[in-house]
Amino acid sequence: MNGSRVVLALLVLFAATLLVLPLTFGLPGGTGPPEAVTESGDAINQVYWVVFGMAAVVFLIIEVTLIAFIFRFRRRPETPPNVEGPQIHGNTRAEIVWTVIPAVLLLILAIYTFSRVPEVEAKPGGGDMGNVVTIEVTGHQFYWQYRYPNDALSYDELVLPIDRKIRLVLNSEDVNHSWWVPELTGKRDAIPGQTNTLYFTPNTTGVFENGVCGEFCGIQHARMTMRVEVVSQEDFDAWLEENAPEAEDIALGESQWEAACAKCHGLDGGGDIGPAIAGNSILTNPEALDLLVRVRGQNLPGNPSYMPPVGKGWTDEQLATLIAYVKSNEQLAGPGGADGG
Ligand code: CUA
């Protein structure tokens, strides 16, 4: 096999690798975007693949040409060393061509991308507003709070009806977070003092657990995951009714504990990156708990352990719900803390 055949074989191998590589991106665990269950998510994925496809073609043409040129214009054995090749100064036509082609490609990409923005944004038309389900989303260090139209609450887990336009109204009580469930749509920041909205319409029931906070927000940012369950309209109505606000709802208090407290103090309050708090009398003392979780957190000079005010913005009912759960749990409440103890 002579030299040119080796190079040809390498080129073919290289091109084949480049062509096959993108196919692995769509596989589970690949680097491509997951399959979407909303039109908004579909539009985002289509833009992704169009941009990827154009970039791949350009990459292939450039790299194959580069390698061909390296081979074609290499120094031949018969050329004496230290001889310089021909010196070329400018080629107006080539320069115009390699400026115009990328400019046209970028223009096409820009026009295509902007043309898909309305689908991605998925804003409802004026007449559809009545059918929109609005849910208030509040980012906290380090969990998500959801408030539904009937004032029902959930923490970290969001329940949505299928085939209804969803409007998430995003806010934060402390630092910037970003709400992101890739199967549903793009990410949107939750910023203190600013209200952002996000629209989408889920078209498939199921559980979507790839959600993560998309903005670094502190030590437990990685634990700020989210789970979205899309259910039928009847199941959604039933869920809302079941979770209608109710004084001292122990099950809700448990999810509140898991979301707001357990990520740092452990599920059993035995301590994790935060200190052990099981049995601490503050947990069942409304005034002390109010001051700690709603007002100031733990941020004392000389005290190395910082705790954000995790319940900033909570209503009195939310504080009562958490206390009700702690009291229902003997280990957390400690001696004398539990009901009737
Ligand atoms: Cu919240 Cu990262």
Side-chain angles (χ1 to χ4, degrees), residues 140 142 144 176-178 213-218 221 224:
H140 283 269
F142 298 94
W144 297 98
N176 292 359
H177 305 272
S178 188
C213 176
E215 182 80 52
F216 182 68
C217 54
H221 156 72
M224 208 167 157

Side-chain angles (χ1 to χ4, degrees), residues 254-327:
E254 182 172 10
S255 67
Q256 205 175 352
W257 170 270
E258 284 169 12
C261 312
K263 286 173 188 167
C264 293
H265 298 288
L267 267 182
D268 57 1
D272 189 348
I273 66 157
I277 53 170
N280 191 313
S281 63
I282 292 177
L283 289 177
T284 48
N285 178 330
E287 288 79 38
L289 193 65
D290 176 29
L291 188 64
L292 184 69
V293 304
R294 285 206 299 198
V295 181
R296 63 161 169 75
Q298 185 78 268
N299 193 13
L300 306 171
N303 185 338
S305 73
Y306 166 76
M307 168 181 159
V310 293
K312 204 172 161 204
W314 279 0
T315 59
D316 291 346
E317 288 74 25
Q318 283 177 281
L319 206 61
T321 309
L322 181 64
I323 293 176
Y325 168 66
V326 171
K327 283 187 175 172

Side-chain angles (χ1 to χ4, degrees), residues 35-322:
E35 211 178 301
V37 297
T38 65
E39 263 177 43
S40 165
D42 283 338
I44 292 173
N45 287 0
Q46 282 155 16
V47 171
Y48 175 92
W49 288 113
V50 167
V51 173
F52 182 89
M54 271 178 80
V57 169
V58 170
F59 180 77
L60 212 62
I61 292 171
I62 300 287
E63 292 305 308
V64 167
T65 312
L66 178 66
I67 291 171
F69 275 45
I70 288 171
F71 173 72
R72 172 75 176 80
F73 298 106
R74 73 196 188 283
R75 190 175 68 80
R76 312 277 161 165
E78 61 273 19
T79 316
N82 305 326
V83 170
E84 290 208 53
Q87 303 298 298
I88 298 161
H89 293 281
N91 181 320
T92 309
R93 185 185 294 172
E95 283 166 23
I96 288 173
V97 168
W98 74 51
T99 305
V100 168
I101 291 178
V104 169
L105 291 181
L106 288 177
L107 192 67
I108 292 171
L109 276 186
I111 291 170
Y112 173 70
T113 305
F114 279 107
S115 77
R116 303 306 300 273
V117 165
E119 263 170 286
V120 172
E121 297 267 289
K123 284 185 184 147
D128 307 338
M129 273 325 269
N131 197 34
V132 172
V133 181
T134 298
I135 293 168
E136 279 174 41
V137 182
T138 309
H140 283 269
Q141 287 173 312
F142 298 94
Y143 66 97
W144 297 98
Q145 174 186 299
Y146 302 105
R147 186 180 291 277
Y148 298 79
N150 68 341
D151 270 340
L153 289 165
S154 70
Y155 302 94
D156 282 344
E157 298 194 8
L158 174 63
V159 179
L160 297 175
I162 189 175
D163 292 336
R164 294 279 300 278
K165 177 75 77 187
I166 308 297
R167 173 173 177 249
L168 299 185
V169 179
L170 295 127
N171 243 302
S172 167
E173 284 288 352
D174 37 50
V175 300
N176 292 359
H177 305 272
S178 188
W179 196 89
W180 187 34
V181 178
E183 291 95 337
L184 296 177
T185 184
K187 55 168 89 89
R188 185 116 325 154
D189 283 359
I191 298 171
Q194 185 186 318
T195 301
N196 286 340
T197 44
L198 188 60
Y199 294 100
F200 55 89
T201 308
N203 57 25
T204 309
T205 56
V207 176
F208 306 101
E209 298 185 285
N210 286 326
V212 287
C213 176
E215 182 80 52
F216 182 68
C217 54
I219 190 166
Q220 292 292 65
H221 156 72
R223 301 278 303 268
M224 208 167 157
T225 54
M226 48 198 104
R227 182 180 190 274
V228 176
E229 190 173 358
V230 177
V231 298
S232 67
Q233 183 67 50
E234 301 92 79
D235 288 354
F236 181 67
D237 292 338
W239 187 91
L240 281 185
E241 200 173 316
E242 222 171 278
N243 291 276
E246 174 191 327
E248 309 191 352
D249 181 339
I250 287 175
L252 183 64
E254 182 172 10
S255 67
Q256 205 175 352
W257 170 270
E258 284 169 12
C261 312
K263 286 173 188 167
C264 293
H265 298 288
L267 267 182
D268 57 1
D272 189 348
I273 66 157
I277 53 170
N280 191 313
S281 63
I282 292 177
L283 289 177
T284 48
N285 178 330
E287 288 79 38
L289 193 65
D290 176 29
L291 188 64
L292 184 69
V293 304
R294 285 206 299 198
V295 181
R296 63 161 169 75
Q298 185 78 268
N299 193 13
L300 306 171
N303 185 338
S305 73
Y306 166 76
M307 168 181 159
V310 293
K312 204 172 161 204
W314 279 0
T315 59
D316 291 346
E317 288 74 25
Q318 283 177 281
L319 206 61
T321 309
L322 181 64

